[in-house]
Amino acid sequence: MKAGEIIKRCVRFVAFVVVCNATSATAQSTLCSDRLNFQPATTPNAIGWQKFPEFRLPFPVVYGGPRLNEPALEPLRHGFSHLTVVRPDEGPQMTPARQAIEFYGLAYGLNQPWETLESPWGNDLNAYRAKWDQWLRDHSAGQNAAGKWVPGFTVLMVDIERVLETDAQILRLKTNTQTPADLRQLPDAQFLERYKRDMTTLYADAVRYLRERADFSNVRVTSYSDVPIRNTYLNVVGNTWQDWSTNVARTSFLFRDPATGQPGGPFAEQLDFLQPSGYYYYDYPSPLAPDYLAYLLFQVEANRAWSQKPVWPIVWMRYHDCCGSHPKFIQPFMAEATAIFPFFSGARGLWLWEVPNFRDAERPMAAYEHFIHGLYRLSKFADMFEGTYELVIATPARDLMDKHLPVWRGVFKANKLLIAAQNPYAADGAQTTVEVSYKNWSTTITLTGREVYLCQYDLSLTGLEPAPLSGLTISPNPALTKTTLTFNALGSGTVDVQLLDVTGRLVKQQSLQTSPGRMRLDLDTASLPAGLYIVRLLDGKTAVQEKLMIE
């Protein structure tokens, strides 16, 4: 195609900068989100919301940041769906549908063993229940006809954080006289098993009690940082991605059924979505700082590997207080990337947090503006995240961290491919070339320094070959006695349907004759033990797979 013909295919929008490329003699139209030219805040305790146009996003984004002197409900006009703090002047305009609540005192404030020892034994549960009842009363608009509290919110995060996570920590309770004597006499293995069972039950019962005493029919509940894969910043590359995503021993015992040891269990059942903590630890020029983005995406990808529940990472515009960089704000490019990339790894929401009532008289809050800027840029492609779309993840985040590779992710929908890319490992001003691809299409992009690249490619002109197998869905999932597989087949042929357990062992296999179109297969699971499985379809050229939970 001639250059003049390529140029004719370019369309200029006010909200976009349009770039046109040709790769392998095939034209492609490219739209890149415009970077607004704004002056970041230079004075403390001020966020310049007015620097950005009003915009919306197609997923929940909770604003738990500082409420300063901006106009009423300003975050809700700039990409955020919920507020955790409502100012007095906003009360008449607020509805429960826009209110998210952080319940910090669920497990402490009563000087009980759960708080002081992180022990499930010897607690006055009646005292806890009275505390929970009072909390519900304080955050509700009265009671309904059934005597249940009517919440003044639709999103609830409980902050429990009273659990011993390692076997060594748990076994120290055997030497504590507050631990019941009959339990201290148990062999170590039985003691560990009992602790994990009783603590999982206690966690579950706390959330269950809230549900029983209030009408949570329209409330989504999560627990801060209690997720199947809860890791530290430094141990991501200590295990392979295959191990992280299939070895049940890597998961928190809170998310394993005490009876079977398989994923799930009573606490997992009480949560509507998962909230991994994506706080960052190290500032540049620390050699560990550039791992921040792969670390955040690992949190999303690893937990999606173990649960069908939506993942909403909780993020902070400051560094964690562990490692010398607190309370500084994170770098501008980190804030912008944090607003954009989680959704490309499959996050279905985001929660922006700040220490309650925190004020900082020394540091301007420009990081918040860069985060808002990232949300704004993403909003230009809001339609790509609505309805059915496909994530394009060429390399797991764990492997990106291990090899110090640039990060790129894609979202494909209706012959359009949206690409987000950044090289956190690049020096200022350095040029990085990255090949991005989808099926038989590819192109090379150039990143400057640690810029956040966000561009959409129209692949309708590229002769993109459709996949022979695609669109695998499993319903119901979790399954009890049977489930149904549906998928798209490009042509006629034979497809092998395999069911594997988490160790990769083939459990069940059968063949299916396909014809072009949407195919359906009923799968009998009644004779299979409860646990996590992988359903895999193969036609000799293509393999697609999804996880299946059997209860």
Side-chain angles (χ1 to χ4, degrees):
M1 181 175 291
K2 296 179 180 179
E5 294 174 318
I6 297 175
I7 293 172
K8 290 178 183 179
R9 292 186 180 273
C10 298
V11 183
R12 177 107 186 175
F13 295 92
V14 174
F16 298 105
V17 174
V18 180
V19 181
C20 291
N21 297 319
T23 61
S24 303
T26 303
Q28 59 189 34
S29 177
T30 310
L31 299 177
C32 296
S33 67
D34 193 10
R35 292 175 177 82
L36 294 180
N37 184 18
F38 69 96
Q39 181 62 43
T42 58
T43 59
N45 297 327
I47 298 173
W49 296 94
Q50 72 284 353
K51 299 173 184 178
F52 308 96
E54 295 186 9
F55 62 94
R56 60 167 290 276
L57 290 165
F59 22 68
V61 183
V62 178
Y63 183 75
R67 304 306 317 280
L68 303 171
N69 298 316
E70 74 275 359
L73 307 180
E74 194 73 355
L76 300 182
R77 289 187 280 271
H78 292 87
F80 292 92
S81 59
H82 296 76
L83 299 175
T84 65
V85 176
V86 180
R87 298 191 318 227
D89 62 308
E90 296 172 325
Q93 305 173 64
M94 273 294 289
T95 66
R98 311 304 294 272
Q99 176 80 68
I101 292 290
E102 299 158 338
F103 184 5
Y104 291 109
L106 184 141
Y108 26 88
L110 298 176
N111 199 34
Q112 295 288 314
W114 194 8
E115 176 181 359
T116 58
L117 300 177
E118 298 184 328
S119 169
W121 306 305
N123 293 285
D124 184 349
L125 295 182
N126 287 329
Y128 273 116
R129 289 167 186 148
K131 175 185 175 71
W132 299 335
D133 276 326
Q134 183 61 54
W135 186 89
L136 288 171
R137 184 179 300 111
D138 293 342
H139 293 84
S140 298
Q143 293 177 297
N144 60 19
K148 287 192 169 188
W149 297 107
V150 179
F153 52 86
T154 51
V155 178
L156 171 62
M157 178 264 281
V158 294
D159 185 19
I160 305 176
E161 294 193 274
R162 308 314 299 164
V163 61
L164 300 173
E165 297 182 28
T166 69
D167 289 355
Q169 292 171 335
I170 296 169
L171 288 174
R172 292 191 193 111
L173 287 177
K174 292 188 72 174
T175 64
N176 192 298
T177 56
Q178 293 188 58
T179 301
D182 60 326
L183 298 179
R184 284 187 277 133
Q185 301 306 313
L186 292 174
D188 286 358
Q190 293 182 27
F191 186 85
L192 291 169
E193 180 182 358
R194 180 66 179 270
Y195 177 91
K196 294 175 182 180
R197 185 191 72 189
D198 291 352
M199 184 57 84
T200 300
T201 300
L202 181 57
Y203 261 63
D205 285 349
V207 182
R208 185 182 297 112
Y209 186 83
L210 298 177
R211 290 186 179 278
E212 290 172 351
R213 297 289 292 159
D215 180 3
F216 276 13
S217 56
N218 293 315
V219 175
R220 288 174 286 185
V221 181
T222 192
S223 180
Y224 166 70
S225 199
D226 290 314
V227 289
I229 301 294
R230 180 177 180 176
N231 70 293
T232 64
Y233 194 93
L234 297 177
N235 75 346
V236 171
V237 299
N239 305 298
T240 66
W241 173 243
Q242 176 74 11
D243 195 49
W244 279 118
S245 59
T246 61
N247 183 355
V248 71
R250 299 286 168 237
T251 62
S252 165
F253 68 80
L254 291 171
F255 286 82
R256 298 199 293 265
D257 189 321
T260 65
Q262 293 298 312
F267 179 59
E269 293 170 0
Q270 294 301 317
L271 304 183
D272 297 303
F273 64 97
L274 303 179
Q275 189 181 60
S277 169
Y279 302 163
Y280 306 138
Y281 296 80
Y282 303 97
D283 192 13
Y284 287 79
S286 167
L288 297 173
D291 290 337
Y292 84 92
L293 185 53
Y295 171 75
L296 173 62
L297 301 190
F298 172 83
Q299 299 281 357
V300 178
E301 294 168 15
N303 284 294
R304 287 185 64 240
W306 286 103
S307 178
Q308 298 290 325
K309 296 179 184 293
V311 176
W312 302 13
I314 185 168
V315 296
W316 195 11
M317 292 297 95
R318 300 179 189 271
Y319 294 101
H320 195 280
D321 58 7
C322 75
C323 305
S325 296
H326 180 78
K328 289 195 304 181
F329 285 104
I330 62 177
Q331 297 284 346
F333 59 86
M334 298 170 73
E336 186 169 319
T338 299
I340 292 172
F341 277 88
F343 302 104
F344 285 81
S345 282
R348 301 308 295 253
L350 202 58
W351 193 304
L352 177 60
W353 181 82
E354 179 60 274
V355 175
N357 303 316
F358 189 91
R359 291 292 184 273
D360 190 331
E362 298 178 1
R363 278 162 279 270
M365 305 183 76
Y368 277 89
E369 297 178 3
H370 288 285
F371 185 89
I372 299 164
H373 184 223
L375 293 180
Y376 171 73
R377 292 183 65 196
L378 190 63
S379 74
K380 297 304 175 181
F381 303 107
D383 62 305
M384 292 293 291
F385 296 91
E386 296 174 326
T388 301
Y389 56 89
E390 178 185 349
L391 299 176
V392 181
I393 301 176
T395 306
R398 180 263 172 215
D399 296 348
L400 296 175
M401 181 186 287
D402 188 25
K403 299 176 183 178
H404 290 188
L405 295 175
V407 177
W408 77 267
R409 294 285 184 268
V411 169
F412 181 79
K413 177 184 176 184
N415 277 328
K416 291 183 171 60
L417 179 65
L418 179 63
I419 295 290
Q422 186 191 52
N423 185 3
Y425 303 96
D428 290 340
Q431 299 286 304
T432 304
T433 58
V434 181
E435 181 176 330
V436 299
S437 61
Y438 177 73
K439 296 183 180 177
N440 63 318
W441 172 90
S442 67
T443 192
T444 299
I445 62 176
T446 300
L447 306 176
T448 300
R450 305 179 193 110
E451 70 164 315
V452 178
Y453 177 96
L454 187 62
C455 294
Q456 182 189 72
Y457 295 82
D458 185 349
L459 304 189
S460 60
L461 305 174
T462 66
L464 187 70
E465 297 177 2
L469 300 174
S470 63
L472 173 60
T473 62
I474 306 173
S475 181
N477 190 4
L480 290 174
T481 58
K482 67 177 180 179
T483 192
T484 299
L485 316 181
T486 57
F487 61 95
N488 297 319
L490 184 61
S492 300
T494 301
V495 171
D496 286 331
V497 181
Q498 298 179 346
L499 188 66
L500 302 94
D501 64 18
V502 292
T503 69
R505 181 176 63 90
L506 183 63
V507 175
K508 183 178 252 195
Q509 183 174 20
Q510 64 186 91
S511 296
L512 176 68
Q513 295 299 312
T514 64
S515 56
R518 193 71 175 161
M519 302 299 301
R520 172 190 173 106
L521 174 66
D522 292 329
L523 189 65
D524 181 10
T525 61
S527 62
L528 297 174
L532 182 68
Y533 295 83
I534 296 172
V535 175
R536 181 176 295 165
L537 308 182
L538 306 99
D539 68 351
K541 297 180 180 178
T542 306
V544 294
Q545 65 183 41
E546 289 290 343
K547 289 184 170 61
L548 167 65
M549 184 70 71
I550 298 177
E551 296 183 334

